C-alpha cells in the first residue's frame, strides 16, 4: 500500500494525534475522512486538508456504521483505519474520597477500548470487500495504545487498563483478519505535545521532557502521523505494538 492510493478513516482526527495523522496522510496524497465528536473543529480540519468529515460517537454502533458508510460513499473505498479517539482519566483504585467511581472506569474503557474495536470491526467489513493489491493486501487497521499499557503510574488504572486492552487485541485481531488480508497494528506513544499537554505551564512541560531518555523532549504529533504512514506502507508489519516514546519508561 502507498499513501497516495490510501483511503483512510481517522478517529479523533479533529485534534491532537488524530489531526496530525490526518494532515500527514492528506499531504501525501491519501483520501481522508475524519471521525470525531467535535463537528466544528472536525469540519474545519477536513476542509483545510481537502478531506471529509463525519460527526461520530465511537461508542455507538449506529453512529460508527453511519460514519463508515459516509466515508465509503465519499472516498469510494476504505483501505486504512486509524483509531486516535480517546480520553485520559485520573484516579486511584482507592483514593482519599473512597473507591474509584465505577462510571469513570467504564467510560474510559468504553471510549478507548470498546470505541477502537467498534470502528475496527466495521471498517474491516468494508476493507474485506476491496480488491487485493499486488501483495494481496486489502487494508490495515492502526490502533492507539500507550506506554501506560506497560508502565502505568499511580492514578492510571482506568487509562492503563483501556490501553492494555488495545495491546491485548492486536495479535488476535491480526489473526482473525488474516483470511481477509487485513493487517492490524498498534502504536504506543509516550508523552506527546497534544492540546492537553500544551495547556500545562512551560515548567511542567520541561520537567516531563527531561524524563525522556533520548531525545530529551516531548513527542511531536506529526511524528505519530509519520509512524502511522510508515505502517500503512510497510506491508510486512502485522500483529505488533510499536512503542514511540524516546525510550521513556515511566515510574
Amino acid at each position: 500500500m502507498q499513501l497516495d492510493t490510501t483511503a483512510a478513516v481517522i478517529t479523533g482526527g479533529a485534534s491532537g494525534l488524530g489531526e496530525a495523522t490526518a494532515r500527514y496522510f492528506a499531504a501525501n496524497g491519501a483520501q481522508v475522512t475524519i471521525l470525531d465528536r467535535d463537528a466544528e473543529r472536525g469540519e474545519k480540519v477536513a476542509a483545510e486538508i481537502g478531506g471529509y468529515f463525519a460527526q461520530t460517537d465511537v461508542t455507538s454502533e449506529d453512529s460508527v456504521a453511519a460514519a463508515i458508510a459516509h466515508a465509503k460513499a465519499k472516498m469510494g473505498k476504505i483501505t486504512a483505519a486509524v483509531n486516535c479517539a480517546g480520553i485520559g482519566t485520573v484516579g486511584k483504585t482507592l483514593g482519599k474520597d473512597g473507591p474509584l467511581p465505577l462510571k469513570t472506569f467504564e467510560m474510559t474503557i468504553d471510549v478507548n477500548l470498546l470505541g477502537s474495536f467498534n470502528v475496527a470491526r466495521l471498517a474491516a467489513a468494508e476493507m474485506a470487500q476491496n480488491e487485493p493489491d499486488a501483495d494481496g493486501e486489502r487494508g490495515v487497521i492502526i490502533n492507539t495504545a500507550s506506554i501506560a499499557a506497560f508502565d502505568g503510574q499511580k492514578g492510571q488504572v482506568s487509562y492503563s487498563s483501556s490501553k492494555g486492552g488495545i495491546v491485548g487485541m492486536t495479535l488476535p485481531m491480526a489473526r482473525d483478519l488474516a483470511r481477509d488480508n487485513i493487517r492490524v497494528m498498534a502504536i504506543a506513544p509516550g508523552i506527546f505535545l497534544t492540546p492537553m499537554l500544551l495547556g500545562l505551564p512551560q515548567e511542567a512541560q520541561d520537567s516531563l521532557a527531561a524524563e525522556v531518555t533520548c531525545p530529551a523532549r516531548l513527542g511531536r504529533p506529526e511524528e505519530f502521523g509519520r509512524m502511522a504512514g510508515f505502517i500503512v506502507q510497510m506491508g510486512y508489519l502485522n500483529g505488533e505494538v510499536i512503542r514511540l516514546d524516546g525510550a521513556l519508561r515511566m515510574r
Side-chain angles (χ1 to χ4, degrees):
M1 292 175 63
Q2 298 300 317
L3 283 178
D4 60 6
T5 58
T6 293
V9 292
I10 301 175
T11 72
S15 63
L17 301 181
E19 179 184 347
T21 302
R23 290 186 182 279
Y24 180 79
F25 276 40
N28 285 275
Q31 294 187 81
V32 174
T33 300
I34 291 171
L35 278 55
D36 203 289
R37 297 187 70 171
D38 187 341
E40 181 178 358
R41 178 67 185 168
E43 289 173 352
K44 180 177 184 295
V45 174
E48 290 175 355
I49 67 174
Y52 309 101
F53 173 74
Q55 189 173 26
T56 311
D57 175 0
V58 296
T59 68
S60 165
E61 182 169 8
D62 290 343
S63 180
V64 173
I68 293 293
H70 175 75
K72 173 73 176 293
K74 290 294 185 180
M75 300 189 297
K77 60 182 179 179
I78 295 173
T79 61
V82 187
N83 277 308
C84 295
I87 58 173
T89 54
V90 178
K92 293 182 180 180
T93 305
L94 182 60
K96 293 180 180 178
D97 297 324
L100 180 74
L102 189 58
K103 283 293 183 184
T104 300
F105 193 90
E106 289 177 338
M107 178 179 65
T108 311
I109 297 296
D110 281 351
V111 175
N112 295 355
L113 180 56
L114 184 149
S116 294
F117 179 74
N118 193 23
V119 173
R121 70 189 184 92
L122 295 176
E126 290 298 335
M127 293 177 191
Q129 307 305 313
N130 294 336
E131 288 296 321
D133 65 12
D135 206 26
E137 187 173 3
R138 289 188 170 92
V140 57
I141 295 166
I142 303 170
N143 294 317
T144 302
S146 167
I147 61 170
F150 310 101
D151 308 332
Q153 297 176 303
K154 289 187 296 184
Q156 287 190 321
V157 63
S158 301
Y159 184 72
S160 294
S161 296
S162 70
K163 294 304 185 178
I166 295 292
V167 170
M169 75 180 183
T170 301
L171 182 57
M173 185 181 286
R175 288 171 167 168
D176 285 350
L177 297 177
R179 180 188 63 182
D180 299 297
N181 292 328
I182 298 169
R183 295 184 290 121
V184 181
M185 289 288 294
I187 303 173
I191 305 176
F192 273 66
L193 281 167
T194 58
M196 184 186 305
L197 206 64
L198 287 169
L200 295 176
Q202 187 61 50
E203 182 180 352
Q205 293 184 36
D206 292 343
S207 176
L208 289 169
E211 295 294 317
V212 182
T213 304
C214 182
R217 63 170 174 81
L218 302 179
R220 301 176 183 127
E222 58 266 28
E223 292 174 313
F224 182 96
R226 286 165 53 199
M227 175 59 75
F230 175 75
I231 290 171
V232 167
Q233 297 175 92
M234 181 53 66
Y236 209 56
L237 279 174
N238 194 17
E240 187 56 86
V241 181
I242 298 176
R243 290 183 66 133
L244 188 63
D245 59 12
L248 173 64
R249 297 297 181 267
M250 297 191 298
R251 298 189 298 274

